[in-house]
Amino acid sequence: MTANPLGRDFRLLWSAAVSSRLGDALRTPALALLAATVTRDPRLIAAVTVAGQLPPLLFGLLGGVYADRWDRRRTMALVDGVRAVVVAALAVVVALDRISVLALLVAAFLLAALGTLFDSASFALLPALVPPDALPRANGRLQAGSAVAGGFLGAPAAGVLFAAAPAVPFAVDAVTFAAAALLVLALAPTSVAYARPRPGVRRGSVWSEIVEGLRWLRAHRTLWRVTLLAAGSNLAISGIMAVLVLYALDVLRVPPAGYGLFAAAAILGGVAGALGAGLLAAWLGTVPALRAVLAAQTVALTGFALARHPVPGGIALAVFAAGTVVWNSLCASYGQRHVPSELLGRVGAAQRMVGLLTAPLGAVLAGLAAAAYGTVPVAGAAAVTFALVTLAAWRALRTATSGVLSHSDAA
C-alpha cells in the first residue's frame, strides 16, 4: 500500500530542518577549531563546548513554555533569523581577526539557548502539518535528512572550509539559518499554531505553566514510562559514545585512517532506521515497535561488546544506531499524537530534559570506568544496562497501546 504524501508544508519544514542541521554541522567543529587557534588552554577550549551544552539544561523547560504561548511558526522563523544574525556577526569578527574566547563563549551559549526554543516549537508544530498516522514517517524523514546533512555533508566539509578561511563555515551557517527562516515563514498558518488561553481564563506564571507540563507528563502512564526508559537507554548510549574512539582503535583494531569509514556505518544505520520507522510503526503499532526496537538494540550492543574485528563491530554499531533513530522517531510521534496541542511544547521539553540529565552521568561513569578497567568492561556494562531497560520496557509497556488514549493512560 502506497503511503500518502506528507504535503507541501512538511516539505518546507523538512527543508528548513535540513538546512539548519547542515549549518550546525559546519559550525560545531569550526567553533572547536577556532577555539584551538585562539588558545591552547584546554580549560578554555572545554568551556566553549560546555557553553553550548548548558542552555538546554538551563532553559529547556522555559523554551517549552514559550513554544506553547507564542505562534510556533513565527517563533521558529524569528529564532532562525536571530541565529543567522549572530553567526554572521561571528563570521565578520573572525574575518577581521578580532575573535576572542569571550566572543566564542557568548556565541556558543546564545546559539544553544535560541536552539532550545526552536526545538520545542518545531516539535509542537509538526502534528499540525501532517495527519496523526503519518507522524512516525514524518519524524523518520526529518531524522534521515538531518543525519545526511550533518554526518555526510556538513561534518566532512567543516574542516575543508575552515582550512580555506576560518570565517567561511560561519558565513555558510548564517546563510543556512536565513534560508530556514524563510522556509518556515512560507508554511501556511495553522489554527493550532500555539496554545490560546480559554476565554475568561487568565494565563498563569511561567513557573506554573512549567509545573502544568511536568504534571501532565507524570500523570500520563505510558508517556512517563517511555520517558524513563529513554533516560535509562541514554545512560548506556552516552557511555558507549564516550569511549567509542578508544574501543574502536584498541579493541576492534580499526586503523586510524579507517575510523571515519567505521563511524560512517553508524550514520548509515541511522538513516536506514529513520526511513524505516514509519513502516515499523504501521506494521507493529508504535508502542509494540518501541519494545521490539529495544530488544534489537540489546542484541546489537551485546554483539558490539563481544566483537573483536572492525567488520562485525561496524555492523553491530550500524544496527544499534538504526534502533536509536527508530526509537527517537517513535517516541516523538507517540507524544505528538497523545499530548494536547496546548501542552506539546512543555511536555516535549520535559521529556528532553529528563533524557539530558542522564547523558552526562553515563559519559562520566564510562570515562572513570575505562580509566580504571579499560573500555571492554564499559561496552559490557552498556549492554547489560540496555538489557535491563529492555526487560523493564517489556513489562512497563505490556498493557499500553498506540491507539486511542484511554482513561488509564492519563489523569
Side-chain angles (χ1 to χ4, degrees), residues 44 46-49 51-52 100-110:
L44 294 178
V48 174
T49 301
S100 65
V101 173
L102 179 61
L104 293 176
L105 289 170
V106 171
F109 187 87
L110 184 56

Short mmCIF file of all heavy atoms in Angstrom, two decimals, residues 44 46-49 51-52 100-110:
data_model
loop_
_atom_site.label_atom_id
_atom_site.label_comp_id
_atom_site.label_asym_id
_atom_site.label_seq_id
_atom_site.Cartn_x
_atom_site.Cartn_y
_atom_site.Cartn_z
N LEU A 44 39.86 26.42 28.66
CA LEU A 44 39.08 27.40 27.90
C LEU A 44 38.42 26.76 26.69
O LEU A 44 37.28 27.09 26.34
CB LEU A 44 39.99 28.56 27.47
CG LEU A 44 40.54 29.43 28.59
CD1 LEU A 44 41.48 30.51 28.03
CD2 LEU A 44 39.40 30.08 29.36
N ALA A 46 37.50 23.64 26.50
CA ALA A 46 36.38 22.86 27.05
C ALA A 46 35.22 23.78 27.43
O ALA A 46 34.05 23.41 27.30
CB ALA A 46 36.84 22.06 28.26
N ALA A 47 35.54 24.98 27.91
CA ALA A 47 34.49 25.92 28.31
C ALA A 47 33.61 26.30 27.12
O ALA A 47 32.40 26.50 27.28
CB ALA A 47 35.12 27.16 28.93
N VAL A 48 34.19 26.41 25.94
CA VAL A 48 33.40 26.73 24.74
C VAL A 48 32.40 25.60 24.47
O VAL A 48 31.24 25.84 24.15
CB VAL A 48 34.32 26.95 23.53
CG1 VAL A 48 33.49 27.14 22.27
CG2 VAL A 48 35.21 28.17 23.76
N THR A 49 32.86 24.35 24.62
CA THR A 49 31.96 23.21 24.44
C THR A 49 30.85 23.21 25.48
O THR A 49 29.67 23.02 25.16
CB THR A 49 32.74 21.89 24.53
OG1 THR A 49 33.76 21.89 23.52
CG2 THR A 49 31.82 20.69 24.33
N ALA A 51 29.68 25.74 27.09
CA ALA A 51 28.78 26.87 26.85
C ALA A 51 27.67 26.51 25.87
O ALA A 51 26.56 27.03 25.93
CB ALA A 51 29.57 28.07 26.32
N GLY A 52 27.98 25.60 24.96
CA GLY A 52 26.96 25.15 24.01
C GLY A 52 26.09 24.03 24.54
O GLY A 52 25.06 23.71 23.94
N SER A 100 37.92 36.41 20.07
CA SER A 100 38.44 36.15 21.42
C SER A 100 37.67 34.97 22.01
O SER A 100 36.61 34.57 21.51
CB SER A 100 38.27 37.38 22.32
OG SER A 100 36.88 37.65 22.52
N VAL A 101 38.18 34.42 23.08
CA VAL A 101 37.50 33.32 23.76
C VAL A 101 36.14 33.77 24.27
O VAL A 101 35.15 33.05 24.20
CB VAL A 101 38.36 32.78 24.91
CG1 VAL A 101 37.59 31.75 25.73
CG2 VAL A 101 39.64 32.15 24.37
N LEU A 102 36.08 35.01 24.78
CA LEU A 102 34.81 35.54 25.28
C LEU A 102 33.75 35.57 24.18
O LEU A 102 32.60 35.19 24.39
CB LEU A 102 35.01 36.93 25.87
CG LEU A 102 33.74 37.61 26.41
CD1 LEU A 102 33.14 36.78 27.54
CD2 LEU A 102 34.05 39.03 26.89
N ALA A 103 34.14 36.00 23.00
CA ALA A 103 33.20 36.04 21.88
C ALA A 103 32.71 34.64 21.53
O ALA A 103 31.52 34.44 21.23
CB ALA A 103 33.85 36.69 20.67
N LEU A 104 33.61 33.66 21.57
CA LEU A 104 33.21 32.29 21.29
C LEU A 104 32.26 31.76 22.35
O LEU A 104 31.27 31.07 22.04
CB LEU A 104 34.44 31.39 21.21
CG LEU A 104 35.39 31.62 20.03
CD1 LEU A 104 36.62 30.72 20.15
CD2 LEU A 104 34.68 31.37 18.72
N LEU A 105 32.53 32.08 23.61
CA LEU A 105 31.66 31.64 24.70
C LEU A 105 30.26 32.22 24.55
O LEU A 105 29.25 31.51 24.68
CB LEU A 105 32.25 32.03 26.05
CG LEU A 105 33.51 31.28 26.50
CD1 LEU A 105 34.11 31.96 27.73
CD2 LEU A 105 33.18 29.83 26.81
N VAL A 106 30.19 33.51 24.26
CA VAL A 106 28.89 34.18 24.12
C VAL A 106 28.12 33.62 22.93
O VAL A 106 26.92 33.33 23.03
CB VAL A 106 29.09 35.71 23.98
CG1 VAL A 106 27.77 36.39 23.62
CG2 VAL A 106 29.65 36.29 25.27
N ALA A 107 28.81 33.44 21.82
CA ALA A 107 28.14 32.93 20.62
C ALA A 107 27.62 31.52 20.83
O ALA A 107 26.47 31.19 20.48
CB ALA A 107 29.09 32.97 19.43
N ALA A 108 28.45 30.64 21.40
CA ALA A 108 28.03 29.25 21.63
C ALA A 108 26.84 29.19 22.58
O ALA A 108 25.89 28.43 22.35
CB ALA A 108 29.21 28.45 22.19
N PHE A 109 26.88 29.99 23.64
CA PHE A 109 25.80 29.98 24.62
C PHE A 109 24.51 30.53 24.02
O PHE A 109 23.43 29.94 24.18
CB PHE A 109 26.21 30.83 25.83
CG PHE A 109 25.24 30.74 26.99
CD1 PHE A 109 25.36 29.74 27.93
CD2 PHE A 109 24.21 31.66 27.12
CE1 PHE A 109 24.48 29.66 28.99
CE2 PHE A 109 23.32 31.59 28.17
CZ PHE A 109 23.45 30.58 29.12
N LEU A 110 24.60 31.64 23.31
CA LEU A 110 23.41 32.27 22.75
C LEU A 110 22.76 31.40 21.68
O LEU A 110 21.53 31.24 21.64
CB LEU A 110 23.79 33.63 22.15
CG LEU A 110 22.65 34.50 21.60
CD1 LEU A 110 21.59 34.73 22.66
CD2 LEU A 110 23.19 35.82 21.08
#
